[in-house]
């Protein structure tokens, strides 16, 4: 099977790839920012360091995707991160939500990183070679995030009655948002037909079955009769994102031409 | 008498050697004992018409030392008298701790960091549980945290010499 380079892309395929890259980049940037909100506030030092490190990793991964966008003629990473309004973002609602209690942050991190692992495993085979290279590069780093997520799901899932209840509540609340990670877009078919990424529904199916097993092993029950919350991939976000962007973009917008 | 072609090849080889020697003096800003060559982040150096192109594969994608290393590399090669230097950040080959040279691993230990186990692109829990203390060489150690003070380090505790230590974690 031949691989595609930037020069060979048909316009429609390029548009589909750009859309996919914005979804990936924006998810990582916004979750990175959310993770960083635990810096200095984590319940114990190791938890604080873990969320701060994962925040930094997610920012790095976002940057890798924004750089791929730049190679395709989109604005530079800083412009994309700091000068777009909420409706221009393509992130899912899961990453937008306010951090909530510790259980919600841990469950979100677990659900998102398992989804990312499954997506990256598929992207490693992508016929869009620059994206496949990034997926291969980030695999080792992501492994530490999934290890941490699974470890904490195990620990808190059945540590005490309260920890179990909080984790189950978080899972019930966040699961429809997590299914929204796999919101299909109008580019789904093009991306699948061109061998760039499998259909969202296919990725979602793999994720659901693996996550259900992991939840069960941790004494938690994955809700199976709820529908997904969609909208993020079309630019429709919960109010939480606006507040996050106001905060994240504030300094940059004071003087966008500054040299940092 | 060597032919012109032979002379050109010889010249090119010695230029390439000069670049690699310059790179051996560029250190990781977070671990100043180890050079970018020992760290395994330079897969290739090319010289064409006096222009040097260095390919560099970043360690961790979010590592803040990356830009510093890139600039240090550029300066070190310019200081060797080359007219133009370009440092391309590439993801192919993907960097892995398996790329760290034997000398680099020795220096990590000297710096007080347990070197990473060879992982062939796939880290397992055992690689993080079974780590030898860089201070006393004991294997009676416990993993404390898979995240540490920088993106590339995990935190362990040695039950023999009773000190915390850091490991350059395998990726």
């Amino acid at each position: 099977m031949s691989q595609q380079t930037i020069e060979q892309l048909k316009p429609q395929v390029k548009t589909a790839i750009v859309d996919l890259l914005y979804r990936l980049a924006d998810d990582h940037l916004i979750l990175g920012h959310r993770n960083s909100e635990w810096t200095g506030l984590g319940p114990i030092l190791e938890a604080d360091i873990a969320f701060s490190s994962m925040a930094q990793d997610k920012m790095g991964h976002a940057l890798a995707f924004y750089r791929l966008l730049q190679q395709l003629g989109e604005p530079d990473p800083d412009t994309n991160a700091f000068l777009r309004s909420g409706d221009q973002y393509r992130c899912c609602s899961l990453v937008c939500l306010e951090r909530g209690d510790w259980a919600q942050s841990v469950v979100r991190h677990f659900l998102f990183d398992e989804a990312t692992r499954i997506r990256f495993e598929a992207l490693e085979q992508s016929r869009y070679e620059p994206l496949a290279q990034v997926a291969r590069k980030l695999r080792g780093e992501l492994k530490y995030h999934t290890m941490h997520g699974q470890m904490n799901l195990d620990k808190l899932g059945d540590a005490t009655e309260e920890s179990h209840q909080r984790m189950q509540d978080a899972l019930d609340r966040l699961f429809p948002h997590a299914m929204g990670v796999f919101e299909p877009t109008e580019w789904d078919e093009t991306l699948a037909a061109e061998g760039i990424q499998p259909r969202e529904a296919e990725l979602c199916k793999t994720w659901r079955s693996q996550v259900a097993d992991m939840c069960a092993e941790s004494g938690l029950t994955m809700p199976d009769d709820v529908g997904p919350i969609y909208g993020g991939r079309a630019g429709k976000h919960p109010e939480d994102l606006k507040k996050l962007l106001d905060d994240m973009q504030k300094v940059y917008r004071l003087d966008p031409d500054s040299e940092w | 008498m060597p032919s012109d072609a032979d002379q050109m090849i010889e010249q090119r080889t010695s230029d390439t050697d000069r670049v690699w020697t310059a790179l051996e003096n560029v250190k990781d800003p977070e671990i100043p004992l180890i050079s970018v060559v020992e760290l395994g982040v330079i897969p290739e150096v090319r010289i064409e018409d006096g222009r040097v192109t260095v390919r560099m594969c970043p360690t961790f994608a979010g590592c803040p030392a990356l830009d510093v290393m890139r600039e240090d590399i550029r300066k070190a090669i310019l200081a060797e008298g080359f007219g133009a230097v370009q440092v391309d950040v590439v993801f192919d080959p993907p960097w892995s701790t398996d790329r760290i040279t034997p000398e680099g691993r020795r220096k990590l230990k000297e710096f007080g960091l347990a070197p990473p186990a060879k992982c062939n692109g796939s880290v397992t829990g055992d690689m993080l549980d079974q780590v030898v203390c860089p201070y006393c060489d004991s294997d009676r150690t416990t993993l404390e945290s898979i995240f540490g003070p920088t993106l590339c380090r995990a935190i362990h505790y040695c039950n023999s010499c009773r000190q915390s230590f850091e490991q350059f974690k395998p990726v």
Side-chain angles (χ1 to χ4, degrees), chain A residues 144, chain B residues 31 60 97 108 112-118 123-132 134 143-157 164-171:
Chain A
Y144 285 93
Chain B
I31 312 168
F60 281 70
T97 42
L108 285 178
L113 291 172
K118 291 269 181 186
V123 175
T124 62
D126 284 353
M127 290 173 194
L128 295 159
D129 283 336
Q130 296 161 5
V131 175
V132 172
L143 171 65
E144 294 279 308
S145 168
I146 59 174
F147 293 101
T150 68
L151 293 184
C152 55
R153 303 184 201 180
I155 305 172
H156 299 257
Y157 182 77
S164 286
F165 67 90
E166 293 166 12
Q167 172 202 22
F168 198 106
K169 64 193 194 192
V171 282

mmCIF file of all heavy atoms in Angstrom, chain A residues 144, chain B residues 31 60 97 108 112-118 123-132 134 143-157 164-171:
data_model
loop_
_atom_site.group_PDB
_atom_site.id
_atom_site.type_symbol
_atom_site.label_atom_id
_atom_site.label_comp_id
_atom_site.label_asym_id
_atom_site.label_seq_id
_atom_site.Cartn_x
_atom_site.Cartn_y
_atom_site.Cartn_z
ATOM 1 N N TYR A 144 2.679 5.703 29.669
ATOM 2 C CA TYR A 144 2.726 6.105 31.082
ATOM 3 C C TYR A 144 1.390 6.700 31.535
ATOM 4 O O TYR A 144 1.008 6.567 32.693
ATOM 5 C CB TYR A 144 3.881 7.094 31.321
ATOM 6 C CG TYR A 144 5.221 6.386 31.327
ATOM 7 C CD1 TYR A 144 5.970 6.272 30.165
ATOM 8 C CD2 TYR A 144 5.700 5.784 32.477
ATOM 9 C CE1 TYR A 144 7.179 5.584 30.156
ATOM 10 C CE2 TYR A 144 6.903 5.103 32.486
ATOM 11 C CZ TYR A 144 7.639 5.013 31.326
ATOM 12 O OH TYR A 144 8.828 4.319 31.317
ATOM 13 N N ILE B 31 20.704 17.342 31.908
ATOM 14 C CA ILE B 31 21.674 16.351 32.409
ATOM 15 C C ILE B 31 23.020 16.695 31.769
ATOM 16 O O ILE B 31 23.428 16.081 30.786
ATOM 17 C CB ILE B 31 21.263 14.903 32.020
ATOM 18 C CG1 ILE B 31 19.783 14.664 32.344
ATOM 19 C CG2 ILE B 31 22.150 13.876 32.722
ATOM 20 C CD1 ILE B 31 19.219 13.393 31.732
ATOM 21 N N PHE B 60 11.153 13.655 24.618
ATOM 22 C CA PHE B 60 9.724 13.731 24.918
ATOM 23 C C PHE B 60 9.162 14.935 24.153
ATOM 24 O O PHE B 60 9.780 16.004 24.137
ATOM 25 C CB PHE B 60 9.502 13.899 26.428
ATOM 26 C CG PHE B 60 9.643 12.605 27.180
ATOM 27 C CD1 PHE B 60 10.892 12.009 27.325
ATOM 28 C CD2 PHE B 60 8.536 11.957 27.701
ATOM 29 C CE1 PHE B 60 11.031 10.806 27.993
ATOM 30 C CE2 PHE B 60 8.662 10.747 28.369
ATOM 31 C CZ PHE B 60 9.917 10.173 28.527
ATOM 32 N N THR B 97 14.529 5.375 24.430
ATOM 33 C CA THR B 97 15.701 5.314 25.314
ATOM 34 C C THR B 97 16.674 4.228 24.858
ATOM 35 O O THR B 97 17.839 4.249 25.248
ATOM 36 C CB THR B 97 15.281 5.057 26.774
ATOM 37 O OG1 THR B 97 14.244 4.068 26.798
ATOM 38 C CG2 THR B 97 14.768 6.325 27.418
ATOM 39 N N LEU B 108 24.662 8.541 32.728
ATOM 40 C CA LEU B 108 23.400 8.740 33.456
ATOM 41 C C LEU B 108 23.577 8.269 34.895
ATOM 42 O O LEU B 108 23.193 8.938 35.852
ATOM 43 C CB LEU B 108 22.256 7.952 32.800
ATOM 44 C CG LEU B 108 21.658 8.479 31.501
ATOM 45 C CD1 LEU B 108 20.570 7.522 31.008
ATOM 46 C CD2 LEU B 108 21.067 9.874 31.685
ATOM 47 N N GLY B 112 23.654 10.075 38.712
ATOM 48 C CA GLY B 112 22.730 9.697 39.784
ATOM 49 C C GLY B 112 21.375 9.237 39.290
ATOM 50 O O GLY B 112 20.417 9.134 40.051
ATOM 51 N N LEU B 113 21.285 8.985 37.978
ATOM 52 C CA LEU B 113 20.023 8.489 37.412
ATOM 53 C C LEU B 113 20.184 7.023 37.030
ATOM 54 O O LEU B 113 21.135 6.668 36.325
ATOM 55 C CB LEU B 113 19.662 9.272 36.140
ATOM 56 C CG LEU B 113 19.252 10.728 36.286
ATOM 57 C CD1 LEU B 113 19.134 11.378 34.906
ATOM 58 C CD2 LEU B 113 17.932 10.833 37.026
ATOM 59 N N ALA B 114 19.252 6.171 37.477
ATOM 60 C CA ALA B 114 19.296 4.771 37.043
ATOM 61 C C ALA B 114 19.002 4.727 35.555
ATOM 62 O O ALA B 114 18.012 5.314 35.096
ATOM 63 C CB ALA B 114 18.259 3.958 37.811
ATOM 64 N N PRO B 115 19.873 4.056 34.761
ATOM 65 C CA PRO B 115 19.624 4.006 33.308
ATOM 66 C C PRO B 115 18.374 3.186 32.999
ATOM 67 O O PRO B 115 18.019 2.292 33.755
ATOM 68 C CB PRO B 115 20.874 3.308 32.752
ATOM 69 C CG PRO B 115 21.857 3.254 33.865
ATOM 70 C CD PRO B 115 21.095 3.344 35.144
ATOM 71 N N PRO B 116 17.714 3.505 31.868
ATOM 72 C CA PRO B 116 16.490 2.783 31.499
ATOM 73 C C PRO B 116 16.793 1.376 30.993
ATOM 74 O O PRO B 116 17.815 1.152 30.354
ATOM 75 C CB PRO B 116 15.921 3.634 30.362
ATOM 76 C CG PRO B 116 17.101 4.324 29.771
ATOM 77 C CD PRO B 116 18.078 4.540 30.883
ATOM 78 N N ALA B 117 15.896 0.427 31.268
ATOM 79 C CA ALA B 117 16.022 -0.910 30.686
ATOM 80 C C ALA B 117 15.752 -0.817 29.187
ATOM 81 O O ALA B 117 15.042 0.078 28.737
ATOM 82 C CB ALA B 117 15.014 -1.848 31.336
ATOM 83 N N LYS B 118 16.333 -1.733 28.409
ATOM 84 C CA LYS B 118 16.008 -1.798 26.971
ATOM 85 C C LYS B 118 14.544 -2.218 26.836
ATOM 86 O O LYS B 118 14.101 -3.160 27.493
ATOM 87 C CB LYS B 118 16.894 -2.847 26.282
ATOM 88 C CG LYS B 118 18.353 -2.441 26.197
ATOM 89 C CD LYS B 118 18.645 -1.710 24.901
ATOM 90 C CE LYS B 118 20.145 -1.336 24.837
ATOM 91 N NZ LYS B 118 20.456 -0.511 23.666
ATOM 92 N N VAL B 123 7.082 -0.557 26.867
ATOM 93 C CA VAL B 123 7.426 -0.561 28.289
ATOM 94 C C VAL B 123 6.485 -1.498 29.056
ATOM 95 O O VAL B 123 5.289 -1.537 28.792
ATOM 96 C CB VAL B 123 7.299 0.866 28.858
ATOM 97 C CG1 VAL B 123 7.530 0.871 30.364
ATOM 98 C CG2 VAL B 123 8.275 1.790 28.178
ATOM 99 N N THR B 124 7.053 -2.237 30.006
ATOM 100 C CA THR B 124 6.208 -3.069 30.872
ATOM 101 C C THR B 124 6.410 -2.639 32.323
ATOM 102 O O THR B 124 7.390 -1.964 32.648
ATOM 103 C CB THR B 124 6.598 -4.555 30.770
ATOM 104 O OG1 THR B 124 7.958 -4.691 31.220
ATOM 105 C CG2 THR B 124 6.466 -5.079 29.359
ATOM 106 N N GLY B 125 5.477 -3.038 33.172
ATOM 107 C CA GLY B 125 5.557 -2.704 34.593
ATOM 108 C C GLY B 125 6.859 -3.195 35.216
ATOM 109 O O GLY B 125 7.464 -2.514 36.040
ATOM 110 N N ASP B 126 7.333 -4.395 34.785
ATOM 111 C CA ASP B 126 8.570 -4.963 35.340
ATOM 112 C C ASP B 126 9.769 -4.042 35.151
ATOM 113 O O ASP B 126 10.638 -3.957 36.008
ATOM 114 C CB ASP B 126 8.885 -6.310 34.642
ATOM 115 C CG ASP B 126 7.981 -7.407 35.148
ATOM 116 O OD1 ASP B 126 7.220 -7.140 36.108
ATOM 117 O OD2 ASP B 126 8.022 -8.529 34.592
ATOM 118 N N MET B 127 9.806 -3.371 33.996
ATOM 119 C CA MET B 127 10.948 -2.490 33.717
ATOM 120 C C MET B 127 11.015 -1.337 34.710
ATOM 121 O O MET B 127 12.044 -0.713 34.893
ATOM 122 C CB MET B 127 10.829 -1.903 32.310
ATOM 123 C CG MET B 127 11.048 -2.913 31.230
ATOM 124 S SD MET B 127 10.673 -2.148 29.651
ATOM 125 C CE MET B 127 10.580 -3.628 28.655
ATOM 126 N N LEU B 128 9.867 -1.030 35.320
ATOM 127 C CA LEU B 128 9.832 0.070 36.285
ATOM 128 C C LEU B 128 9.961 -0.453 37.716
ATOM 129 O O LEU B 128 10.377 0.273 38.608
ATOM 130 C CB LEU B 128 8.521 0.848 36.125
ATOM 131 C CG LEU B 128 8.398 1.550 34.778
ATOM 132 C CD1 LEU B 128 6.953 1.853 34.444
ATOM 133 C CD2 LEU B 128 9.217 2.835 34.787
ATOM 134 N N ASP B 129 9.599 -1.711 37.918
ATOM 135 C CA ASP B 129 9.682 -2.289 39.264
ATOM 136 C C ASP B 129 11.093 -2.765 39.586
ATOM 137 O O ASP B 129 11.548 -2.671 40.713
ATOM 138 C CB ASP B 129 8.707 -3.471 39.396
ATOM 139 C CG ASP B 129 7.271 -2.997 39.566
ATOM 140 O OD1 ASP B 129 7.087 -1.852 40.022
ATOM 141 O OD2 ASP B 129 6.341 -3.750 39.222
ATOM 142 N N GLN B 130 11.772 -3.320 38.565
ATOM 143 C CA GLN B 130 13.089 -3.923 38.824
ATOM 144 C C GLN B 130 14.198 -2.978 38.390
ATOM 145 O O GLN B 130 14.764 -3.111 37.318
ATOM 146 C CB GLN B 130 13.187 -5.251 38.062
ATOM 147 C CG GLN B 130 12.167 -6.260 38.557
ATOM 148 C CD GLN B 130 11.913 -7.376 37.568
ATOM 149 O OE1 GLN B 130 12.562 -7.465 36.530
ATOM 150 N NE2 GLN B 130 10.950 -8.230 37.876
ATOM 151 N N VAL B 131 14.490 -2.002 39.261
ATOM 152 C CA VAL B 131 15.491 -0.995 38.920
ATOM 153 C C VAL B 131 16.599 -1.037 39.966
ATOM 154 O O VAL B 131 16.332 -1.125 41.165
ATOM 155 C CB VAL B 131 14.835 0.400 38.876
ATOM 156 C CG1 VAL B 131 15.880 1.476 38.648
ATOM 157 C CG2 VAL B 131 13.792 0.448 37.762
ATOM 158 N N VAL B 132 17.854 -1.016 39.489
ATOM 159 C CA VAL B 132 18.999 -1.073 40.399
ATOM 160 C C VAL B 132 19.358 0.331 40.863
ATOM 161 O O VAL B 132 19.411 1.264 40.069
ATOM 162 C CB VAL B 132 20.194 -1.748 39.685
ATOM 163 C CG1 VAL B 132 21.459 -1.656 40.541
ATOM 164 C CG2 VAL B 132 19.862 -3.203 39.371
ATOM 165 N N PRO B 134 21.264 3.541 41.626
ATOM 166 C CA PRO B 134 22.495 4.055 41.012
ATOM 167 C C PRO B 134 23.569 4.409 42.053
ATOM 168 O O PRO B 134 24.733 4.561 41.711
ATOM 169 C CB PRO B 134 22.027 5.319 40.278
ATOM 170 C CG PRO B 134 20.787 5.747 40.990
ATOM 171 C CD PRO B 134 20.151 4.499 41.537
ATOM 172 N N LEU B 143 9.310 1.135 43.390
ATOM 173 C CA LEU B 143 8.837 2.241 42.539
ATOM 174 C C LEU B 143 7.925 3.150 43.365
ATOM 175 O O LEU B 143 6.983 2.681 43.995
ATOM 176 C CB LEU B 143 8.060 1.659 41.350
ATOM 177 C CG LEU B 143 7.308 2.663 40.465
ATOM 178 C CD1 LEU B 143 8.273 3.602 39.754
ATOM 179 C CD2 LEU B 143 6.444 1.932 39.440
ATOM 180 N N GLU B 144 8.237 4.433 43.385
ATOM 181 C CA GLU B 144 7.406 5.383 44.135
ATOM 182 C C GLU B 144 6.416 6.098 43.221
ATOM 183 O O GLU B 144 5.278 6.325 43.591
ATOM 184 C CB GLU B 144 8.305 6.423 44.824
ATOM 185 C CG GLU B 144 9.201 5.862 45.906
ATOM 186 C CD GLU B 144 8.460 5.698 47.220
ATOM 187 O OE1 GLU B 144 7.844 6.670 47.678
ATOM 188 O OE2 GLU B 144 8.483 4.577 47.774
ATOM 189 N N SER B 145 6.887 6.511 42.046
ATOM 190 C CA SER B 145 6.015 7.279 41.149
ATOM 191 C C SER B 145 6.528 7.169 39.715
ATOM 192 O O SER B 145 7.732 7.317 39.477
ATOM 193 C CB SER B 145 6.000 8.750 41.585
ATOM 194 O OG SER B 145 5.396 9.537 40.588
ATOM 195 N N ILE B 146 5.619 6.887 38.783
ATOM 196 C CA ILE B 146 6.066 6.781 37.383
ATOM 197 C C ILE B 146 6.263 8.155 36.753
ATOM 198 O O ILE B 146 6.726 8.263 35.628
ATOM 199 C CB ILE B 146 5.106 5.921 36.509
ATOM 200 C CG1 ILE B 146 3.689 6.494 36.485
ATOM 201 C CG2 ILE B 146 5.096 4.483 36.977
ATOM 202 C CD1 ILE B 146 2.759 5.749 35.523
ATOM 203 N N PHE B 147 5.880 9.207 37.480
ATOM 204 C CA PHE B 147 6.186 10.563 37.016
ATOM 205 C C PHE B 147 7.140 11.212 38.014
ATOM 206 O O PHE B 147 7.078 10.910 39.208
ATOM 207 C CB PHE B 147 4.910 11.393 36.875
ATOM 208 C CG PHE B 147 4.001 10.893 35.777
ATOM 209 C CD1 PHE B 147 2.896 10.122 36.067
ATOM 210 C CD2 PHE B 147 4.287 11.166 34.447
ATOM 211 C CE1 PHE B 147 2.073 9.645 35.062
ATOM 212 C CE2 PHE B 147 3.468 10.685 33.429
ATOM 213 C CZ PHE B 147 2.351 9.929 33.733
ATOM 214 N N GLY B 148 8.028 12.061 37.518
ATOM 215 C CA GLY B 148 9.035 12.647 38.391
ATOM 216 C C GLY B 148 9.229 14.123 38.121
ATOM 217 O O GLY B 148 8.367 14.768 37.519
ATOM 218 N N PRO B 149 10.398 14.658 38.547
ATOM 219 C CA PRO B 149 10.627 16.107 38.434
ATOM 220 C C PRO B 149 10.758 16.607 36.997
ATOM 221 O O PRO B 149 10.574 17.793 36.743
ATOM 222 C CB PRO B 149 11.919 16.324 39.218
ATOM 223 C CG PRO B 149 12.577 14.993 39.256
ATOM 224 C CD PRO B 149 11.483 13.977 39.251
ATOM 225 N N THR B 150 11.113 15.734 36.054
ATOM 226 C CA THR B 150 11.068 16.111 34.640
ATOM 227 C C THR B 150 10.321 14.989 33.907
ATOM 228 O O THR B 150 10.141 13.907 34.454
ATOM 229 C CB THR B 150 12.478 16.267 34.012
ATOM 230 O OG1 THR B 150 13.084 14.967 33.945
ATOM 231 C CG2 THR B 150 13.374 17.196 34.807
ATOM 232 N N LEU B 151 9.926 15.255 32.658
ATOM 233 C CA LEU B 151 9.112 14.279 31.929
ATOM 234 C C LEU B 151 9.803 12.928 31.784
ATOM 235 O O LEU B 151 9.157 11.900 31.694
ATOM 236 C CB LEU B 151 8.765 14.820 30.532
ATOM 237 C CG LEU B 151 7.826 16.027 30.501
ATOM 238 C CD1 LEU B 151 7.506 16.387 29.048
ATOM 239 C CD2 LEU B 151 6.553 15.764 31.279
ATOM 240 N N CYS B 152 11.146 12.930 31.768
ATOM 241 C CA CYS B 152 11.865 11.683 31.477
ATOM 242 C C CYS B 152 12.245 10.899 32.727
ATOM 243 O O CYS B 152 12.976 9.927 32.636
ATOM 244 C CB CYS B 152 13.102 11.991 30.635
ATOM 245 S SG CYS B 152 14.188 13.205 31.380
ATOM 246 N N ARG B 153 11.786 11.304 33.910
ATOM 247 C CA ARG B 153 12.254 10.608 35.113
ATOM 248 C C ARG B 153 11.118 10.028 35.949
ATOM 249 O O ARG B 153 10.074 10.653 36.104
ATOM 250 C CB ARG B 153 13.040 11.574 36.007
ATOM 251 C CG ARG B 153 14.220 12.202 35.300
ATOM 252 C CD ARG B 153 15.020 13.064 36.244
ATOM 253 N NE ARG B 153 15.824 14.032 35.516
ATOM 254 C CZ ARG B 153 16.630 14.908 36.108
ATOM 255 N NH1 ARG B 153 16.722 14.928 37.420
ATOM 256 N NH2 ARG B 153 17.333 15.753 35.387
ATOM 257 N N ALA B 154 11.372 8.834 36.499
ATOM 258 C CA ALA B 154 10.475 8.222 37.483
ATOM 259 C C ALA B 154 11.189 8.245 38.837
ATOM 260 O O ALA B 154 12.412 8.392 38.900
ATOM 261 C CB ALA B 154 10.152 6.790 37.076
ATOM 262 N N ILE B 155 10.425 8.115 39.928
ATOM 263 C CA ILE B 155 11.015 8.181 41.268
ATOM 264 C C ILE B 155 10.956 6.806 41.946
ATOM 265 O O ILE B 155 9.914 6.152 41.937
ATOM 266 C CB ILE B 155 10.276 9.216 42.153
ATOM 267 C CG1 ILE B 155 10.252 10.582 41.462
ATOM 268 C CG2 ILE B 155 10.948 9.339 43.520
ATOM 269 C CD1 ILE B 155 9.376 11.607 42.169
ATOM 270 N N HIS B 156 12.085 6.377 42.509
ATOM 271 C CA HIS B 156 12.173 5.089 43.208
ATOM 272 C C HIS B 156 12.758 5.317 44.603
ATOM 273 O O HIS B 156 13.281 6.380 44.908
ATOM 274 C CB HIS B 156 13.093 4.133 42.441
ATOM 275 C CG HIS B 156 12.616 3.814 41.056
ATOM 276 N ND1 HIS B 156 12.006 2.635 40.728
ATOM 277 C CD2 HIS B 156 12.654 4.536 39.906
ATOM 278 C CE1 HIS B 156 11.693 2.630 39.442
ATOM 279 N NE2 HIS B 156 12.077 3.785 38.921
ATOM 280 N N TYR B 157 12.675 4.250 45.421
ATOM 281 C CA TYR B 157 13.286 4.309 46.741
ATOM 282 C C TYR B 157 14.150 3.080 46.914
ATOM 283 O O TYR B 157 13.744 1.967 46.564
ATOM 284 C CB TYR B 157 12.200 4.351 47.824
ATOM 285 C CG TYR B 157 12.762 4.467 49.223
ATOM 286 C CD1 TYR B 157 13.242 5.687 49.697
ATOM 287 C CD2 TYR B 157 12.827 3.352 50.063
ATOM 288 C CE1 TYR B 157 13.772 5.788 50.970
ATOM 289 C CE2 TYR B 157 13.352 3.453 51.340
ATOM 290 C CZ TYR B 157 13.828 4.670 51.792
ATOM 291 O OH TYR B 157 14.360 4.782 53.058
ATOM 292 N N SER B 164 15.911 8.068 48.246
ATOM 293 C CA SER B 164 15.134 8.172 47.017
ATOM 294 C C SER B 164 16.117 8.337 45.867
ATOM 295 O O SER B 164 17.188 8.924 46.044
ATOM 296 C CB SER B 164 14.244 9.411 47.055
ATOM 297 O OG SER B 164 13.175 9.188 47.919
ATOM 298 N N PHE B 165 15.770 7.805 44.718
ATOM 299 C CA PHE B 165 16.584 8.085 43.530
ATOM 300 C C PHE B 165 15.681 8.169 42.320
ATOM 301 O O PHE B 165 14.509 7.769 42.370
ATOM 302 C CB PHE B 165 17.686 7.018 43.346
ATOM 303 C CG PHE B 165 17.185 5.636 43.016
ATOM 304 C CD1 PHE B 165 17.008 5.234 41.697
ATOM 305 C CD2 PHE B 165 16.891 4.730 44.033
ATOM 306 C CE1 PHE B 165 16.552 3.955 41.392
ATOM 307 C CE2 PHE B 165 16.428 3.446 43.728
ATOM 308 C CZ PHE B 165 16.260 3.061 42.406
ATOM 309 N N GLU B 166 16.229 8.718 41.248
ATOM 310 C CA GLU B 166 15.453 8.874 40.024
ATOM 311 C C GLU B 166 15.963 7.926 38.954
ATOM 312 O O GLU B 166 17.141 7.566 38.936
ATOM 313 C CB GLU B 166 15.539 10.321 39.535
ATOM 314 C CG GLU B 166 14.838 11.295 40.474
ATOM 315 C CD GLU B 166 15.205 12.734 40.201
ATOM 316 O OE1 GLU B 166 15.824 13.024 39.159
ATOM 317 O OE2 GLU B 166 14.885 13.574 41.050
ATOM 318 N N GLN B 167 15.050 7.544 38.081
ATOM 319 C CA GLN B 167 15.403 6.675 36.956
ATOM 320 C C GLN B 167 15.079 7.433 35.668
ATOM 321 O O GLN B 167 14.055 8.120 35.602
ATOM 322 C CB GLN B 167 14.548 5.399 37.020
ATOM 323 C CG GLN B 167 14.672 4.488 35.801
ATOM 324 C CD GLN B 167 13.472 3.548 35.640
ATOM 325 O OE1 GLN B 167 12.390 3.808 36.163
ATOM 326 N NE2 GLN B 167 13.658 2.468 34.913
ATOM 327 N N PHE B 168 15.961 7.337 34.695
ATOM 328 C CA PHE B 168 15.623 7.829 33.353
ATOM 329 C C PHE B 168 14.676 6.779 32.799
ATOM 330 O O PHE B 168 15.065 5.647 32.562
ATOM 331 C CB PHE B 168 16.882 7.945 32.498
ATOM 332 C CG PHE B 168 16.715 8.830 31.294
ATOM 333 C CD1 PHE B 168 17.280 10.091 31.248
ATOM 334 C CD2 PHE B 168 15.974 8.402 30.195
ATOM 335 C CE1 PHE B 168 17.120 10.908 30.128
ATOM 336 C CE2 PHE B 168 15.806 9.211 29.080
ATOM 337 C CZ PHE B 168 16.387 10.468 29.054
ATOM 338 N N LYS B 169 13.402 7.129 32.638
ATOM 339 C CA LYS B 169 12.449 6.056 32.405
ATOM 340 C C LYS B 169 12.431 5.571 30.957
ATOM 341 O O LYS B 169 12.619 6.351 30.026
ATOM 342 C CB LYS B 169 11.056 6.440 32.903
ATOM 343 C CG LYS B 169 10.383 7.588 32.228
ATOM 344 C CD LYS B 169 9.184 7.997 33.093
ATOM 345 C CE LYS B 169 8.255 8.912 32.364
ATOM 346 N NZ LYS B 169 7.268 9.533 33.254
ATOM 347 N N PRO B 170 12.254 4.242 30.798
ATOM 348 C CA PRO B 170 12.291 3.684 29.444
ATOM 349 C C PRO B 170 11.092 4.118 28.602
ATOM 350 O O PRO B 170 9.964 4.099 29.084
ATOM 351 C CB PRO B 170 12.261 2.168 29.687
ATOM 352 C CG PRO B 170 11.677 1.988 31.052
ATOM 353 C CD PRO B 170 12.021 3.211 31.836
ATOM 354 N N VAL B 171 11.341 4.550 27.397
ATOM 355 C CA VAL B 171 10.254 4.788 26.421
ATOM 356 C C VAL B 171 10.671 4.204 25.084
ATOM 357 O O VAL B 171 11.829 4.175 24.747
ATOM 358 C CB VAL B 171 9.897 6.284 26.194
ATOM 359 C CG1 VAL B 171 9.051 6.812 27.318
ATOM 360 C CG2 VAL B 171 11.113 7.112 25.952
#
